[in-house]
Amino acid sequence: MPFTLYEVSIPLFIRNLQVLKKLLEKGQASGKETTLVESRLIADMLPFTFQVQSACDSAKFQAVRVGGLENPVMEDKEKTFLELQERITKTIAFLETVKPESFEGKEGQEVRTIKRNGVSIPLNGKQYTFEFSIPNFFFHLSMVYALLRKEGVEVGKSDYLGAGL
């Protein structure tokens, strides 16, 4: 039996948002929160806080754009690890309400993604999931991991993979 869009996305996002929470716990324990929240790999990159917000948004928008759920508004105002943790917790709680049935038959249904320059790119549910949503989520999760490493937080591959969850 083939996997559904729900099965390949929502449980994956929930688990990896839990990984993100654990990564932030290690960042907070390092005592480097002030440096980390504004950390960037390079000057033109958006900061650590944006990377966490975007990982959450990527997961949330899968449920909204493909599953057809109402978009819970989350303002991008987080400035502390505690606020970022609350955002992740809210995102997980939202994803836990998603029913597998909301993804049924959505593989070929058109999903519009809005880019920063305002151009809307039509994708179907399958394309959106595999070509945008999942890669975008893991890009931002990887950036969080890289920024933690850059600032000297002791995290490794097993932390990124969620060993022990």
Side-chain angles (χ1 to χ4, degrees), residues 94-134:
F94 169 66
L95 293 176
E96 288 174 338
T97 70
V98 177
K99 304 281 187 252
E101 303 82 50
S102 63
F103 282 77
E104 287 178 7
K106 303 289 178 83
E107 296 81 7
Q109 185 174 323
E110 187 174 310
V111 174
R112 291 208 177 265
T113 60
I114 307 301
K115 299 292 183 183
R116 283 183 197 260
N117 62 6
V119 175
S120 182
I121 300 171
L123 299 170
N124 66 35
K126 184 177 177 183
Q127 290 169 317
Y128 179 81
T129 300
F130 290 105
E131 296 173 22
F132 184 79
S133 184
I134 293 172

Side-chain angles (χ1 to χ4, degrees), residues 141-161:
L141 179 62
S142 297
M143 290 303 101
V144 167
Y145 173 81
L147 289 166
L148 289 168
R149 291 287 308 235
K150 173 188 170 269
E151 298 300 337
V153 177
E154 292 188 24
V155 292
K157 185 176 180 181
S158 63
D159 296 302
Y160 179 84
L161 295 175

Side-chain angles (χ1 to χ4, degrees), residues 57-118:
D57 286 349
S58 294
K60 173 181 79 147
F61 288 143
Q62 175 72 10
V64 170
R65 293 177 177 158
V66 179
L69 277 74
E70 188 70 31
N71 183 18
V73 176
M74 295 184 192
E75 296 182 33
D76 296 335
K77 294 194 217 176
E78 295 85 7
K79 302 229 183 290
T80 67
F81 272 45
L82 179 60
E83 292 169 338
L84 291 168
Q85 288 284 21
E86 289 171 3
R87 170 111 175 212
I88 298 166
T89 299
K90 281 196 256 183
T91 305
I92 291 170
F94 169 66
L95 293 176
E96 288 174 338
T97 70
V98 177
K99 304 281 187 252
E101 303 82 50
S102 63
F103 282 77
E104 287 178 7
K106 303 289 178 83
E107 296 81 7
Q109 185 174 323
E110 187 174 310
V111 174
R112 291 208 177 265
T113 60
I114 307 301
K115 299 292 183 183
R116 283 183 197 260
N117 62 6

